[in-house]
Each structure stands twice: as C-alpha cells, then as structure tokens.
Amino acid sequence: MTNRQYISNESQTYNPCGYLEVLLPLPLNATFTYRIPPEMCISVEIGFRVVVPFGKKKFYTGIVTGILNDAPNAIETKDIAMVLDSNPVIRHPQMKLWNWVSEYYLCAPGEVYKAALPTGLKLESETFVEINPDYSFIDIPNSNQLETEIYQLLDHEGSLTVNAIIGKFDGRRGVTTAVNRMIEKGCLIISEKLLERYRVKYETFVEFNIRKDQISDAFSMTKGAKKQEQLLLAMLELTGFNRGESNEVSRDELLKRAGVSSSILSAIAKKGILNIFKKEINRFKFTGKATGDLPKLSAAQSKALDEIHKSWLEKSVCLLHGVTSSGKTEIYIHLIDYVLRNGDQALMLVPEIALTTQLTRRLQEVFGEKVIIYHSRFTDNERVDIWKKLLKEREPAVIIGARSAVFLPFYKLGLVIVDEEHDQSYKQFDPAPRYNGRDTAIVLASMHGAKTLLGSATPAIDTYFKAKNGKFGLVILKERYGDVRLPEIRIVDMKQAYKTKSIHGAFASDTVHMAKEAMSNGGQIILFQNRRGYAPLARCKQCAWVPRCEHCDVALTYHAHLRQLQCHYCGAVYPLPSICPQCKEPSIEILGYGTERIEEEVEQIFKSYKMMRMDLDTTRNKNSYEQIISDFSDKKAQILIGTQMVTKGLDFKGVEMVGVLNADTLINFPDFRANERAFNMLEQVSGRAGRRTGTHGIVVIQTYQPAHRVLSYVSAHDYDAYYDDEINERQRFFYPPFTRIIYMYMKHRDPSRLRFVADAYAERLRTLLGQRVFGPEEPMIGRIQGLYIRKIMLKIEVTASMTKIKELLRQTYIDMHSLPQMKGTIVYYDVDPQ
C-alpha cells in the first residue's frame, strides 16, 4: 500500500522532486503516478497541467490531482516531461464536480476531464510519418507509382500525418495502404510530435515615447508634415495623455481616427515620439454601451421575484413555472443584478446556442462587459481565452452558455439559472460523459453554496414532482406579460383533409388560409417541421425497395441541394439511384417532408412572401444563428421554417401564427417520455405566437390523431392536468421520478457474438439485481457505424447509492472479461436517459 500524502489546494509545502498523481484524458478508471525528475525540481500544485509519457510513444497533458511525498511501492514510475503552468488551470471545487459526474454517470474521470477542458489546453502527441534517413528509396523493392509520389511528397514537405498525406492526394484510394507498406519496408518511420492547438492573439498598440512636458517638442519635430500632426492630435484625443489618462491606443483605432496610413505612423516612430508594440489580448471585448437600467416588472413579476427570494431562505433550488411570454427573462435579469452587486458570479444555462443570441443582447444592454458567452460554436482559441479570463479575473460576471459551461473555472458562484430546464438538449448523448447539464448545474451550485433557479413553461415531470413534493421551491407565473392572451390552438384533422382533397402537399387548405390571413395583416409566421433534409425517405414505387446506410440500420434522407442521400447517424452520403437496384425499374420516388422540401412548397404556395429556414444545414457557420434570428426579428422575412430550434425561447414580436405540420412524429415515438416531449415541444412552439400586446396568436396543429390526449392538454394550455395524467402513468409502470433508469449499451461488429455477450451479461446482472434488469433487446436503431447494438435497462430505486451501483457494474464488467466473446465488445452506460 503506497503511503500517499495528498496536499490540499490551500497547503503547497512539499518536496519539489517528489511524485505526482496525474489524471489523463483517457477512458481509464485510474490516475497514474509520475516522478518529478531531479534536474527539474520545480514546484507543482494541484490543478497544474503536466505533459507526461504514456505507453511506448504517446504524450498527454495530465492534470495533477495529488502530490505524494514517498515513492509508490512496486510501481514503476516515469518522469514528467514538462510542467505547463505557473498557476493551476482548474479551481476548487472543479475536481470535486468532475468526480461527481464520473460517479453518477458511470464513466471514467478522464472522460470528464477530456470533455471539461478546452482542447487548446490539452497538448497531445500526434503520429507523423517521415522518410527513414537510413534507407534510399531506390533500394526499396517492388515500389509502385503511388509509393514513389508519397516518397517525393515527404522528401519535399518533411514529416506529415497520414491524414495530411491523404489530403494532398485528394482522397485518392490506396494511400493509407501504401503508407503502411512503406513503413513495413523500412522506407518510412513513425515519429510522435507534441502539438499545441491554442494560439495567443496579439494586437498592435501605440504608446507615447516622450514625457508630457515634451509634447510641444513633438509638434515642432512634425511641423510642416500635416498628416503627422493629424496623427499626433488623434493620439492625444484618444489617450488623453496630456491629462494623464492613458498612454496607449490600438494602432487600428488610431489610424482610423487620424485618417492616415501606417507609413505616417512609422515615420513618427522613427523620430522617437511614438513606440509601436504588440501585446496579448483577449478575443472577447464588449464594444457597445450598457445602460445599467433594469427592466420594469409587472405586479405579477414582482410578486414572483419576492416569492423566489423567500423560497431560497428554506431551499437552495427553486422552480419558476411561468407560461410562455410571462417575462421570466426580466426576472432573471433582476436576480443576476442582485448577485453581481454582491460581488458574485452568475451562470445562466440555455439549451440551444441559438438562444444565446437574443439573451446576450438583452443582458449586455444592462450589464455590458460583465456578460461572458461560452458554447461549442466558439473556436478552440476563443474557448481557451474565456477559460483564462475566468481564471485570471475575480470580478463579478454573468456567464451565458450551453451545458458545457458548467465546467468553467468559476471563482465565486452565487447564482445558477437553468432556462427551459425541461429541454432534452441539456442531456449529452455521445461521447461520454453522458451527463445532464441541468442536474450537474444543481450540484455545481450546491458545491459553491449558490442558489439555483429552474425556469420553464413546461417543467420536466421529474422537476415538477420534486417541486410539488417540497424538495424544490415552487413559484408560479400564470399570466403573460402585458396581459397578452395565450394563443388559440386549432387542430387540423389531416385524415378529413385528405378525404375532402383539401391538401396542398404538406399543407391542409385551412393551414394555408390562416397563414395568408396572418401575413396579410402584417404578421409573421413560423412553420415547424421536426425533420431536416428534403425528404426522410426514398422508395421504389414498384418493389418498395428503400435505400439504407451501409453502416447503420437506418433509411437515408434525401437532401435536394446536395442531390444526395445522407445518413444522419454516421454522415455517409450516397447518390440517389435513377434505377432501382432491386427490380431494375426507373421508379424511385421521394416520400415525406423535411424542412428543405417544406421550403420548396412554401415558395410555390406563398409566392409573394419572403422566407428563411433554420435547421442544422443552414446554421453550420459560426454566426448563422445570429444572422437568421436578427433578420427575422427585423422582419426581413415573413416566414421562418425550422426544426426544434424554433421552438425554444425565441422572442419574435411580429409572429401571429405558428404552424405545426406533423404532430404525429412527436406523439408516436416509442419511448416512455414520448408524451412529455410532445407536450413540451408543442406548448413551447405555440408560445412563439402572439407575444405582443393587441394581438391574439394562432397555433395550427396538423395531425392524423386529433383526439390524442396530449393534444387536448395542449389545446387547453393545461399543464397541471397533463402532469396529473402523466405522473399517474409513471407511478403505475414504475418509471421516473419513482425510479432511476440506467441504459446499458453493448456494441460489437459481430452480431452473433454480441447476442451471446448481451444474454450472458443480462443473466449475470439478474443474479445480482433481480427484477431490476430488463432485456437485452435491440434498440430502435440496431446498428450504427458498422457496430451492432444491444440494450439492457436497469430500474434502480432512487435511494440507491450510485457509488455502489458503479462498483457493482465495474466488477461485473471485469468478471465478464473471462468470456472470450467479450473481446472487441464496447460497453457503456446512459444514466437518466432523455
């Protein structure tokens, strides 16, 4: 047993040539011990990054999690290669949160570390190939033309990664095989290089190189040179140097104000009046003006705000259940202002990146540069800059971000707000850790001693259950801001529409009529179709053959703008066959509607109106969300077509009608949460209509099941009746919140081997957990990216210890490896699946 004496964050007195416990960004349930070599002998603290060797040739950036005074017994230790920091890059209690995520969501701590830290802060070695200097290509036997070209490329370029070589040959076939063959012959050798992906951003600045009492001398030196005098005047105006305000300004700002070229600046610098230099800057700087004015609250909002504060006196978590357009954001702003004035930080989570656009603008108008945005659309350099900014600064700030923002290095967190807390986008699906951002945020807040506010018009069943039973506080806001009425829901029976032939493609005649009426009155409309692409299905009219992905058990989606079929699971693309490969007839047809096809039909039906589309295909660029939202807000288009992106929290004042074109895909999904997701999405999208005073929004829902119980609750905007119905059903069948669900997935390339392993695994678990084990079964998609899948469901009591469950599952995993069929089997878990 190793005598390990861990040094806390507060105490850093230890032998600088000791041993370190290091966490690596790998899916391994262990940390590793490394030695600080005598020639290095430098001080290292918990939370420092160190580059360490791992395996035969790889290097990784690890995080120091512990410091050992004594060498571990019977363990061979390697030396660290490099210390990257002079200060820790993670703060207390970040490591504590990582450990909780690892324990609760049944994954390795290294997987949490890999997800939490921006890639730019993780140096990793990458494999390169280069010419072996001991060999001559002329002497290599059986070389072909491709190998000759690869040799010539490396002779010119030096070392390259295999992917870079493939890119140089424009994806030409056989490149990887040729490279491997050349390595086997000894012509090429493999080398490992450490790569740093983060790049510091520098900006050029100009400063005075003279004293204040020498300003008149400076003008004398530039006398007669009008443009130089112009630049000096601009410099004084921008810096206030003669008044002792500042001594520097950015070069670009100076040249723009002076209206001169850089050659004029260089001429003055040569005279010794000014000094030109570069310095590191942060990529994020708010350039607008903050008013500092808080929004005025209605009587109902003020009452809700008071009730939230009272709730926090007894409970740390409060649910704000406010109908759509009730003004929850204004309440959030008042709470954030209270926290910032107390000198603390606030975190506001939103489910979609799109929501940050409008929220950021509203918060910056009040809080200015105290607003920090963080999400996955930022480049790696930008995310590292935000991370460093939060590490360096200890000023009050409000951070807006998607789920990954919970891993940021907060200094003094006083408030966490989770907007649209019900949204399934808070759940990470792949890769691990498969965490829920809402639940992790609640734990994060508790670790900081902060308060949590969950906000939603349609709370998650689990959340509302906890609020109704006293675990969370509950504040209800039933009226819309400005006494705006909730939208009227109109159900369109598509079966009846087909019978009466009142159909225009994907649109019923009633839907078209109401849309035209709304737009003729100057309003805008949103059309919601929860499928992207042109059409979800291609099929042969003669033999019913359907093109499917070679790697996944799914039908391919047709994208008209690409003129290709695409798999939305692995990304593979295929040409649309003109002749059916099964019956050899030219009878391939396109069935169903995606947003791309809806867009095409809208162009024909609503010819005189402009439209926009918001889905994954139109928002791939960094600023595309913001541009679409801004343009639609400015009424540059009357029609917005979109997937679920358009259902969440967006505030468009001009929208008078929302059309749900196919509600049946929502309510017929085979999952115990299907009704919950359907109600939430339909109620949320309906909330985009009629959000201004003096209008009455209309929501049109097209369905083949007009009598479905979910639609009756949506029509009445009756969340409580829906909740009572749903919670009774959950209790009857022992589903959350009355139990905890864990899905256990197994994947393998061999289906027969996978079936054997899954059956054996389930039997083994039944001996330990009894009737809590269900399955194995094939999930709805039984093969993805060439891997066959089986699923086992565990229903565990909510009072059970996740630490003990993890230990049991870990031991079972180790025991199962005695089976030869386990080789090549991938096993992972999804806790609290959404």
PDB file of all heavy atoms in Angstrom, residues 791-819:
ATOM      1  N   LYS A 791     -29.243  -3.441 -25.869  1.00  0.00           N
ATOM      2  CA  LYS A 791     -29.501  -2.561 -24.736  1.00  0.00           C
ATOM      3  C   LYS A 791     -30.120  -3.353 -23.588  1.00  0.00           C
ATOM      4  O   LYS A 791     -31.041  -4.138 -23.794  1.00  0.00           O
ATOM      5  CB  LYS A 791     -30.437  -1.423 -25.155  1.00  0.00           C
ATOM      6  CG  LYS A 791     -30.765  -0.443 -24.039  1.00  0.00           C
ATOM      7  CD  LYS A 791     -31.632   0.708 -24.553  1.00  0.00           C
ATOM      8  CE  LYS A 791     -33.064   0.305 -24.730  1.00  0.00           C
ATOM      9  NZ  LYS A 791     -33.953   1.437 -25.049  1.00  0.00           N
ATOM     10  N   ILE A 792     -29.605  -3.131 -22.379  1.00  0.00           N
ATOM     11  CA  ILE A 792     -30.181  -3.665 -21.147  1.00  0.00           C
ATOM     12  C   ILE A 792     -30.664  -2.475 -20.321  1.00  0.00           C
ATOM     13  O   ILE A 792     -29.944  -1.483 -20.184  1.00  0.00           O
ATOM     14  CB  ILE A 792     -29.147  -4.472 -20.347  1.00  0.00           C
ATOM     15  CG1 ILE A 792     -28.722  -5.722 -21.140  1.00  0.00           C
ATOM     16  CG2 ILE A 792     -29.701  -4.876 -18.983  1.00  0.00           C
ATOM     17  CD1 ILE A 792     -27.573  -6.479 -20.507  1.00  0.00           C
ATOM     18  N   MET A 793     -31.878  -2.565 -19.789  1.00  0.00           N
ATOM     19  CA  MET A 793     -32.407  -1.488 -18.955  1.00  0.00           C
ATOM     20  C   MET A 793     -32.401  -1.898 -17.496  1.00  0.00           C
ATOM     21  O   MET A 793     -32.837  -3.003 -17.153  1.00  0.00           O
ATOM     22  CB  MET A 793     -33.837  -1.105 -19.377  1.00  0.00           C
ATOM     23  CG  MET A 793     -34.411   0.041 -18.558  1.00  0.00           C
ATOM     24  SD  MET A 793     -35.999   0.653 -19.156  1.00  0.00           S
ATOM     25  CE  MET A 793     -37.075  -0.710 -18.727  1.00  0.00           C
ATOM     26  N   LEU A 794     -31.877  -1.002 -16.646  1.00  0.00           N
ATOM     27  CA  LEU A 794     -31.913  -1.209 -15.201  1.00  0.00           C
ATOM     28  C   LEU A 794     -32.853  -0.192 -14.580  1.00  0.00           C
ATOM     29  O   LEU A 794     -32.752   1.002 -14.871  1.00  0.00           O
ATOM     30  CB  LEU A 794     -30.512  -1.038 -14.601  1.00  0.00           C
ATOM     31  CG  LEU A 794     -29.369  -1.863 -15.203  1.00  0.00           C
ATOM     32  CD1 LEU A 794     -28.063  -1.535 -14.490  1.00  0.00           C
ATOM     33  CD2 LEU A 794     -29.661  -3.361 -15.108  1.00  0.00           C
ATOM     34  N   LYS A 795     -33.773  -0.651 -13.750  1.00  0.00           N
ATOM     35  CA  LYS A 795     -34.642   0.232 -12.975  1.00  0.00           C
ATOM     36  C   LYS A 795     -34.189   0.157 -11.523  1.00  0.00           C
ATOM     37  O   LYS A 795     -34.390  -0.853 -10.849  1.00  0.00           O
ATOM     38  CB  LYS A 795     -36.107  -0.187 -13.093  1.00  0.00           C
ATOM     39  CG  LYS A 795     -36.770   0.182 -14.407  1.00  0.00           C
ATOM     40  CD  LYS A 795     -38.251  -0.152 -14.357  1.00  0.00           C
ATOM     41  CE  LYS A 795     -38.964   0.276 -15.639  1.00  0.00           C
ATOM     42  NZ  LYS A 795     -40.417  -0.023 -15.583  1.00  0.00           N
ATOM     43  N   ILE A 796     -33.573   1.236 -11.067  1.00  0.00           N
ATOM     44  CA  ILE A 796     -32.958   1.262  -9.747  1.00  0.00           C
ATOM     45  C   ILE A 796     -33.727   2.228  -8.841  1.00  0.00           C
ATOM     46  O   ILE A 796     -34.154   3.299  -9.285  1.00  0.00           O
ATOM     47  CB  ILE A 796     -31.484   1.703  -9.839  1.00  0.00           C
ATOM     48  CG1 ILE A 796     -30.733   0.841 -10.866  1.00  0.00           C
ATOM     49  CG2 ILE A 796     -30.805   1.657  -8.480  1.00  0.00           C
ATOM     50  CD1 ILE A 796     -30.589  -0.597 -10.506  1.00  0.00           C
ATOM     51  N   GLU A 797     -33.867   1.876  -7.585  1.00  0.00           N
ATOM     52  CA  GLU A 797     -34.537   2.756  -6.631  1.00  0.00           C
ATOM     53  C   GLU A 797     -33.779   4.083  -6.526  1.00  0.00           C
ATOM     54  O   GLU A 797     -32.549   4.115  -6.565  1.00  0.00           O
ATOM     55  CB  GLU A 797     -34.589   2.108  -5.244  1.00  0.00           C
ATOM     56  CG  GLU A 797     -35.450   0.868  -5.174  1.00  0.00           C
ATOM     57  CD  GLU A 797     -34.715  -0.401  -5.593  1.00  0.00           C
ATOM     58  OE1 GLU A 797     -33.611  -0.287  -6.159  1.00  0.00           O
ATOM     59  OE2 GLU A 797     -35.254  -1.507  -5.358  1.00  0.00           O
ATOM     60  N   VAL A 798     -34.510   5.171  -6.392  1.00  0.00           N
ATOM     61  CA  VAL A 798     -33.884   6.493  -6.347  1.00  0.00           C
ATOM     62  C   VAL A 798     -33.020   6.669  -5.106  1.00  0.00           C
ATOM     63  O   VAL A 798     -32.136   7.530  -5.069  1.00  0.00           O
ATOM     64  CB  VAL A 798     -34.951   7.621  -6.404  1.00  0.00           C
ATOM     65  CG1 VAL A 798     -35.610   7.654  -7.761  1.00  0.00           C
ATOM     66  CG2 VAL A 798     -35.982   7.451  -5.301  1.00  0.00           C
ATOM     67  N   THR A 799     -33.267   5.843  -4.091  1.00  0.00           N
ATOM     68  CA  THR A 799     -32.477   5.957  -2.856  1.00  0.00           C
ATOM     69  C   THR A 799     -31.163   5.176  -2.932  1.00  0.00           C
ATOM     70  O   THR A 799     -30.331   5.277  -2.034  1.00  0.00           O
ATOM     71  CB  THR A 799     -33.299   5.439  -1.660  1.00  0.00           C
ATOM     72  OG1 THR A 799     -33.738   4.101  -1.957  1.00  0.00           O
ATOM     73  CG2 THR A 799     -34.497   6.325  -1.398  1.00  0.00           C
ATOM     74  N   ALA A 800     -30.965   4.414  -4.003  1.00  0.00           N
ATOM     75  CA  ALA A 800     -29.762   3.578  -4.116  1.00  0.00           C
ATOM     76  C   ALA A 800     -28.527   4.442  -4.313  1.00  0.00           C
ATOM     77  O   ALA A 800     -28.576   5.493  -4.949  1.00  0.00           O
ATOM     78  CB  ALA A 800     -29.913   2.601  -5.273  1.00  0.00           C
ATOM     79  N   SER A 801     -27.399   4.013  -3.789  1.00  0.00           N
ATOM     80  CA  SER A 801     -26.128   4.730  -3.922  1.00  0.00           C
ATOM     81  C   SER A 801     -25.538   4.477  -5.302  1.00  0.00           C
ATOM     82  O   SER A 801     -25.308   3.320  -5.685  1.00  0.00           O
ATOM     83  CB  SER A 801     -25.144   4.251  -2.849  1.00  0.00           C
ATOM     84  OG  SER A 801     -23.835   4.650  -3.164  1.00  0.00           O
ATOM     85  N   MET A 802     -25.276   5.567  -6.044  1.00  0.00           N
ATOM     86  CA  MET A 802     -24.681   5.416  -7.366  1.00  0.00           C
ATOM     87  C   MET A 802     -23.241   4.926  -7.263  1.00  0.00           C
ATOM     88  O   MET A 802     -22.740   4.262  -8.170  1.00  0.00           O
ATOM     89  CB  MET A 802     -24.741   6.741  -8.123  1.00  0.00           C
ATOM     90  CG  MET A 802     -26.145   7.106  -8.608  1.00  0.00           C
ATOM     91  SD  MET A 802     -26.904   5.839  -9.662  1.00  0.00           S
ATOM     92  CE  MET A 802     -25.891   5.980 -11.129  1.00  0.00           C
ATOM     93  N   THR A 803     -22.568   5.225  -6.176  1.00  0.00           N
ATOM     94  CA  THR A 803     -21.206   4.727  -5.968  1.00  0.00           C
ATOM     95  C   THR A 803     -21.209   3.209  -5.893  1.00  0.00           C
ATOM     96  O   THR A 803     -20.374   2.532  -6.519  1.00  0.00           O
ATOM     97  CB  THR A 803     -20.603   5.319  -4.681  1.00  0.00           C
ATOM     98  OG1 THR A 803     -20.607   6.740  -4.776  1.00  0.00           O
ATOM     99  CG2 THR A 803     -19.174   4.827  -4.479  1.00  0.00           C
ATOM    100  N   LYS A 804     -22.180   2.641  -5.136  1.00  0.00           N
ATOM    101  CA  LYS A 804     -22.264   1.185  -5.014  1.00  0.00           C
ATOM    102  C   LYS A 804     -22.695   0.541  -6.333  1.00  0.00           C
ATOM    103  O   LYS A 804     -22.208  -0.532  -6.697  1.00  0.00           O
ATOM    104  CB  LYS A 804     -23.237   0.813  -3.900  1.00  0.00           C
ATOM    105  CG  LYS A 804     -22.714   1.154  -2.507  1.00  0.00           C
ATOM    106  CD  LYS A 804     -23.685   0.726  -1.414  1.00  0.00           C
ATOM    107  CE  LYS A 804     -23.119   1.057  -0.030  1.00  0.00           C
ATOM    108  NZ  LYS A 804     -24.059   0.679   1.045  1.00  0.00           N
ATOM    109  N   ILE A 805     -23.613   1.221  -7.048  1.00  0.00           N
ATOM    110  CA  ILE A 805     -24.038   0.713  -8.355  1.00  0.00           C
ATOM    111  C   ILE A 805     -22.849   0.676  -9.311  1.00  0.00           C
ATOM    112  O   ILE A 805     -22.645  -0.290 -10.051  1.00  0.00           O
ATOM    113  CB  ILE A 805     -25.169   1.586  -8.944  1.00  0.00           C
ATOM    114  CG1 ILE A 805     -26.433   1.456  -8.091  1.00  0.00           C
ATOM    115  CG2 ILE A 805     -25.455   1.213 -10.394  1.00  0.00           C
ATOM    116  CD1 ILE A 805     -27.075   0.089  -8.126  1.00  0.00           C
ATOM    117  N   LYS A 806     -22.036   1.736  -9.289  1.00  0.00           N
ATOM    118  CA  LYS A 806     -20.864   1.786 -10.170  1.00  0.00           C
ATOM    119  C   LYS A 806     -19.886   0.671  -9.829  1.00  0.00           C
ATOM    120  O   LYS A 806     -19.332   0.016 -10.723  1.00  0.00           O
ATOM    121  CB  LYS A 806     -20.168   3.146 -10.049  1.00  0.00           C
ATOM    122  CG  LYS A 806     -19.008   3.314 -11.029  1.00  0.00           C
ATOM    123  CD  LYS A 806     -18.393   4.699 -10.978  1.00  0.00           C
ATOM    124  CE  LYS A 806     -17.290   4.822 -12.031  1.00  0.00           C
ATOM    125  NZ  LYS A 806     -16.685   6.171 -12.059  1.00  0.00           N
ATOM    126  N   GLU A 807     -19.669   0.428  -8.530  1.00  0.00           N
ATOM    127  CA  GLU A 807     -18.759  -0.646  -8.104  1.00  0.00           C
ATOM    128  C   GLU A 807     -19.276  -2.005  -8.578  1.00  0.00           C
ATOM    129  O   GLU A 807     -18.507  -2.843  -9.063  1.00  0.00           O
ATOM    130  CB  GLU A 807     -18.614  -0.636  -6.592  1.00  0.00           C
ATOM    131  CG  GLU A 807     -17.815   0.553  -6.054  1.00  0.00           C
ATOM    132  CD  GLU A 807     -17.862   0.651  -4.537  1.00  0.00           C
ATOM    133  OE1 GLU A 807     -18.545  -0.208  -3.913  1.00  0.00           O
ATOM    134  OE2 GLU A 807     -17.233   1.571  -3.982  1.00  0.00           O
ATOM    135  N   LEU A 808     -20.590  -2.224  -8.447  1.00  0.00           N
ATOM    136  CA  LEU A 808     -21.184  -3.491  -8.869  1.00  0.00           C
ATOM    137  C   LEU A 808     -21.032  -3.693 -10.377  1.00  0.00           C
ATOM    138  O   LEU A 808     -20.635  -4.771 -10.843  1.00  0.00           O
ATOM    139  CB  LEU A 808     -22.659  -3.523  -8.455  1.00  0.00           C
ATOM    140  CG  LEU A 808     -23.459  -4.779  -8.744  1.00  0.00           C
ATOM    141  CD1 LEU A 808     -24.533  -4.974  -7.678  1.00  0.00           C
ATOM    142  CD2 LEU A 808     -24.130  -4.713 -10.116  1.00  0.00           C
ATOM    143  N   LEU A 809     -21.337  -2.652 -11.151  1.00  0.00           N
ATOM    144  CA  LEU A 809     -21.243  -2.751 -12.608  1.00  0.00           C
ATOM    145  C   LEU A 809     -19.794  -2.896 -13.052  1.00  0.00           C
ATOM    146  O   LEU A 809     -19.504  -3.613 -14.021  1.00  0.00           O
ATOM    147  CB  LEU A 809     -21.880  -1.519 -13.257  1.00  0.00           C
ATOM    148  CG  LEU A 809     -23.401  -1.402 -13.093  1.00  0.00           C
ATOM    149  CD1 LEU A 809     -23.908  -0.086 -13.668  1.00  0.00           C
ATOM    150  CD2 LEU A 809     -24.113  -2.567 -13.778  1.00  0.00           C
ATOM    151  N   ARG A 810     -18.884  -2.201 -12.362  1.00  0.00           N
ATOM    152  CA  ARG A 810     -17.471  -2.308 -12.701  1.00  0.00           C
ATOM    153  C   ARG A 810     -16.963  -3.726 -12.459  1.00  0.00           C
ATOM    154  O   ARG A 810     -16.243  -4.296 -13.289  1.00  0.00           O
ATOM    155  CB  ARG A 810     -16.672  -1.300 -11.861  1.00  0.00           C
ATOM    156  CG  ARG A 810     -15.170  -1.342 -12.089  1.00  0.00           C
ATOM    157  CD  ARG A 810     -14.802  -0.872 -13.466  1.00  0.00           C
ATOM    158  NE  ARG A 810     -13.376  -1.006 -13.717  1.00  0.00           N
ATOM    159  CZ  ARG A 810     -12.826  -0.968 -14.908  1.00  0.00           C
ATOM    160  NH1 ARG A 810     -13.571  -0.818 -15.994  1.00  0.00           N
ATOM    161  NH2 ARG A 810     -11.520  -1.086 -15.067  1.00  0.00           N
ATOM    162  N   GLN A 811     -17.330  -4.321 -11.324  1.00  0.00           N
ATOM    163  CA  GLN A 811     -16.890  -5.682 -11.008  1.00  0.00           C
ATOM    164  C   GLN A 811     -17.488  -6.680 -11.995  1.00  0.00           C
ATOM    165  O   GLN A 811     -16.806  -7.630 -12.425  1.00  0.00           O
ATOM    166  CB  GLN A 811     -17.281  -6.044  -9.569  1.00  0.00           C
ATOM    167  CG  GLN A 811     -16.680  -7.361  -9.088  1.00  0.00           C
ATOM    168  CD  GLN A 811     -15.169  -7.387  -9.160  1.00  0.00           C
ATOM    169  OE1 GLN A 811     -14.490  -6.480  -8.681  1.00  0.00           O
ATOM    170  NE2 GLN A 811     -14.617  -8.425  -9.801  1.00  0.00           N
ATOM    171  N   THR A 812     -18.738  -6.471 -12.359  1.00  0.00           N
ATOM    172  CA  THR A 812     -19.381  -7.356 -13.341  1.00  0.00           C
ATOM    173  C   THR A 812     -18.654  -7.264 -14.680  1.00  0.00           C
ATOM    174  O   THR A 812     -18.432  -8.279 -15.356  1.00  0.00           O
ATOM    175  CB  THR A 812     -20.866  -6.970 -13.516  1.00  0.00           C
ATOM    176  OG1 THR A 812     -21.515  -7.003 -12.254  1.00  0.00           O
ATOM    177  CG2 THR A 812     -21.561  -7.908 -14.482  1.00  0.00           C
ATOM    178  N   TYR A 813     -18.270  -6.053 -15.070  1.00  0.00           N
ATOM    179  CA  TYR A 813     -17.536  -5.843 -16.327  1.00  0.00           C
ATOM    180  C   TYR A 813     -16.216  -6.612 -16.296  1.00  0.00           C
ATOM    181  O   TYR A 813     -15.840  -7.276 -17.278  1.00  0.00           O
ATOM    182  CB  TYR A 813     -17.289  -4.346 -16.517  1.00  0.00           C
ATOM    183  CG  TYR A 813     -16.475  -3.989 -17.746  1.00  0.00           C
ATOM    184  CD1 TYR A 813     -17.049  -4.015 -19.019  1.00  0.00           C
ATOM    185  CD2 TYR A 813     -15.135  -3.612 -17.626  1.00  0.00           C
ATOM    186  CE1 TYR A 813     -16.306  -3.685 -20.134  1.00  0.00           C
ATOM    187  CE2 TYR A 813     -14.381  -3.279 -18.737  1.00  0.00           C
ATOM    188  CZ  TYR A 813     -14.969  -3.312 -19.995  1.00  0.00           C
ATOM    189  OH  TYR A 813     -14.230  -2.983 -21.107  1.00  0.00           O
ATOM    190  N   ILE A 814     -15.512  -6.570 -15.165  1.00  0.00           N
ATOM    191  CA  ILE A 814     -14.239  -7.279 -15.035  1.00  0.00           C
ATOM    192  C   ILE A 814     -14.471  -8.790 -15.092  1.00  0.00           C
ATOM    193  O   ILE A 814     -13.746  -9.529 -15.780  1.00  0.00           O
ATOM    194  CB  ILE A 814     -13.532  -6.884 -13.717  1.00  0.00           C
ATOM    195  CG1 ILE A 814     -13.095  -5.410 -13.786  1.00  0.00           C
ATOM    196  CG2 ILE A 814     -12.329  -7.787 -13.445  1.00  0.00           C
ATOM    197  CD1 ILE A 814     -12.623  -4.847 -12.454  1.00  0.00           C
ATOM    198  N   ASP A 815     -15.514  -9.275 -14.380  1.00  0.00           N
ATOM    199  CA  ASP A 815     -15.820 -10.707 -14.371  1.00  0.00           C
ATOM    200  C   ASP A 815     -16.181 -11.215 -15.765  1.00  0.00           C
ATOM    201  O   ASP A 815     -15.797 -12.323 -16.162  1.00  0.00           O
ATOM    202  CB  ASP A 815     -16.973 -11.005 -13.405  1.00  0.00           C
ATOM    203  CG  ASP A 815     -16.596 -10.729 -11.951  1.00  0.00           C
ATOM    204  OD1 ASP A 815     -15.395 -10.599 -11.665  1.00  0.00           O
ATOM    205  OD2 ASP A 815     -17.520 -10.591 -11.124  1.00  0.00           O
ATOM    206  N   MET A 816     -16.924 -10.376 -16.525  1.00  0.00           N
ATOM    207  CA  MET A 816     -17.375 -10.791 -17.859  1.00  0.00           C
ATOM    208  C   MET A 816     -16.212 -10.947 -18.839  1.00  0.00           C
ATOM    209  O   MET A 816     -16.341 -11.636 -19.849  1.00  0.00           O
ATOM    210  CB  MET A 816     -18.376  -9.775 -18.400  1.00  0.00           C
ATOM    211  CG  MET A 816     -19.739  -9.817 -17.728  1.00  0.00           C
ATOM    212  SD  MET A 816     -20.612 -11.388 -18.006  1.00  0.00           S
ATOM    213  CE  MET A 816     -20.869 -11.313 -19.772  1.00  0.00           C
ATOM    214  N   HIS A 817     -15.081 -10.328 -18.538  1.00  0.00           N
ATOM    215  CA  HIS A 817     -13.943 -10.427 -19.459  1.00  0.00           C
ATOM    216  C   HIS A 817     -13.281 -11.806 -19.435  1.00  0.00           C
ATOM    217  O   HIS A 817     -12.341 -12.049 -20.207  1.00  0.00           O
ATOM    218  CB  HIS A 817     -12.922  -9.332 -19.153  1.00  0.00           C
ATOM    219  CG  HIS A 817     -13.184  -8.088 -19.947  1.00  0.00           C
ATOM    220  ND1 HIS A 817     -14.234  -7.234 -19.667  1.00  0.00           N
ATOM    221  CD2 HIS A 817     -12.569  -7.560 -21.044  1.00  0.00           C
ATOM    222  CE1 HIS A 817     -14.233  -6.238 -20.537  1.00  0.00           C
ATOM    223  NE2 HIS A 817     -13.250  -6.416 -21.380  1.00  0.00           N
ATOM    224  N   SER A 818     -13.772 -12.692 -18.583  1.00  0.00           N
ATOM    225  CA  SER A 818     -13.305 -14.077 -18.653  1.00  0.00           C
ATOM    226  C   SER A 818     -13.883 -14.789 -19.881  1.00  0.00           C
ATOM    227  O   SER A 818     -13.365 -15.817 -20.306  1.00  0.00           O
ATOM    228  CB  SER A 818     -13.697 -14.834 -17.379  1.00  0.00           C
ATOM    229  OG  SER A 818     -15.116 -14.868 -17.239  1.00  0.00           O
ATOM    230  N   LEU A 819     -14.951 -14.213 -20.456  1.00  0.00           N
ATOM    231  CA  LEU A 819     -15.547 -14.783 -21.661  1.00  0.00           C
ATOM    232  C   LEU A 819     -14.736 -14.350 -22.879  1.00  0.00           C
ATOM    233  O   LEU A 819     -14.501 -13.159 -23.088  1.00  0.00           O
ATOM    234  CB  LEU A 819     -16.993 -14.300 -21.831  1.00  0.00           C
ATOM    235  CG  LEU A 819     -18.016 -14.695 -20.770  1.00  0.00           C
ATOM    236  CD1 LEU A 819     -19.355 -14.022 -21.043  1.00  0.00           C
ATOM    237  CD2 LEU A 819     -18.193 -16.213 -20.746  1.00  0.00           C
TER     238      LEU A 819
END
